[in-house]
Amino acid sequence: MTTYATHRHYLMCRPTYFAVEYAINPWMDPSRPVDRELAIAQWEQLRRTYLDLGHTVDEIEPLPGLPDMVFAANGATVIGGRALEVQFREPQRADEAPAYRNWLEQAGFPVHAAKHVNEGEGDLLVVGDYLLAGTGFRTAHAAHAHAQEIFGRPAVTLQLVDPCFYHLDTALAVIDERTIAYLPQAFSPGSQAVLRRLFPDAIEASLADAAAFGLNAVSDGHNVVLPVQADGLAAALRDRGYQPIGVDLSELRKAGGGAKCCTLELRGSTR
Ligand code: ARG
């Protein structure tokens, strides 16, 4: 199959103040040391990878006291040049929402106020005409209908059931307009049936690849940036004509995040 890359515009946040100071997902253990310098170097490599692929990367200023702000995917959802503000479930991350909101407004994106808990692209993924919308741990079900109303795209609710895969973008990767990869057992039986119906040709990932954050991948339609450790998924992607590109984000994984978590796609921007 021929696959095509399209130019992407991303927003990232340097992990200047990255730390694991609290535990709001099962990957986080504040007693385990984190090497911030290494986290910054690994993040820098991710940013460089996007630039080398020809994508545009903007940066938002990191704020002290917000150790998870590096996870820019949770900063908003941006489609067609319009943004939906986030509202974090956990109080430790609450102050990230206005920071991202201000950045987007200053960049010229109209921002719709959040009405319910929604953690941005962590739980709202665009695939073709649809919004795949996760719930169960973070984003509230009611936020799906709000996102559908704002963006005019049908929101398909997917129920997450495994706390290790607490955001949709840890359990499901959008590869192109028709193709996804996912870990079936991270979803309720009904949601698994929905995914099989909508995506009969989806790539099913192994638990090992998902646990390596392989599904926390960033695709431009051809190049798929994912952790080097997710080799089974990389092979499956290569078989289908995609180009997997391995990056090592071991330090950020200690906070429960990977490549996609560090990357907010700004869709429909003018630059
Ligand atoms: N420590 C962060 C949290 O639990 C990690 C966020 C990961 N982001 C993502 N898009 N999955 O909120």
Side-chain angles (χ1 to χ4, degrees):
M1 194 179 84
T2 315
T3 60
Y4 301 94
T6 55
H7 176 265
R8 307 291 169 128
H9 185 180
Y10 299 129
L11 178 62
M12 298 181 74
C13 180
R14 188 173 297 270
T16 310
Y17 304 105
F18 176 66
V20 177
E21 292 169 353
Y22 47 79
I24 56 173
N25 69 56
W27 305 93
M28 300 176 88
D29 175 0
S31 69
R32 190 163 157 225
V34 168
D35 182 341
R36 185 183 286 159
E37 291 313 308
L38 181 56
I40 294 172
Q42 292 177 334
W43 178 90
E44 191 56 63
Q45 188 215 340
L46 177 65
R47 180 176 161 275
R48 189 33 57 209
T49 302
Y50 295 144
L51 294 172
D52 289 348
L53 289 170
H55 301 310
T56 301
V57 179
D58 278 327
E59 284 184 53
I60 178 173
E61 193 66 40
L63 295 174
L66 296 175
D68 273 336
M69 193 172 166
V70 59
F71 300 116
N74 301 128
T77 305
V78 184
I79 308 170
R82 278 176 300 131
L84 173 58
E85 177 193 36
V86 295
Q87 184 177 313
F88 285 93
R89 201 189 81 157
E90 310 296 341
Q92 294 96 329
R93 298 195 66 185
D95 290 345
E96 295 177 40
Y100 279 95
R101 181 188 180 115
N102 291 341
W103 188 94
L104 288 162
E105 282 175 346
Q106 271 165 25
F109 293 91
V111 182
H112 295 264
K115 283 193 194 158
H116 311 277
V117 169
N118 93 79
E119 300 200 350
E121 281 220 16
D123 279 318
L124 295 171
L125 298 176
V126 180
V127 53
D129 289 332
Y130 292 93
L131 269 179
L132 298 183
T135 190
F137 298 100
R138 300 291 182 88
T139 296
H141 185 204
H144 299 177
H146 187 218
Q148 170 170 296
E149 198 57 35
I150 301 280
F151 295 118
R153 288 165 182 250
V156 177
T157 290
L158 299 170
Q159 199 73 43
L160 295 162
V161 296
D162 181 338
C164 286
F165 304 105
Y166 56 94
H167 275 142
L168 182 62
D169 71 357
T170 64
L172 186 151
V174 175
I175 308 298
D176 65 25
E177 296 210 331
R178 283 177 299 275
T179 312
I180 63 161
Y182 70 107
L183 178 70
Q185 64 262 45
F187 296 89
S188 68
S191 296
Q192 290 182 33
V194 168
L195 288 169
R196 277 196 304 272
R197 190 178 290 275
L198 288 179
F199 305 100
D201 301 323
I203 298 171
E204 293 196 6
S206 67
L207 181 57
D209 283 339
F213 274 81
L215 293 167
N216 201 247
V218 178
S219 175
D220 64 14
H222 175 68
N223 304 289
V224 185
V225 179
L226 78 177
V228 276
Q229 292 86 357
D231 43 10
L233 182 57
L237 288 164
R238 207 173 284 113
D239 273 356
R240 297 197 185 202
Y242 302 100
Q243 177 66 56
I245 300 176
V247 290
D248 190 1
L249 294 169
S250 59
E251 288 310 297
L252 295 166
R253 230 189 85 175
K254 293 177 180 172
K260 173 69 180 67
C261 299
C262 294
T263 313
L264 175 62
E265 184 164 352
L266 304 176
R267 297 184 189 78
S269 56
T270 46
R271 340 179 355 205

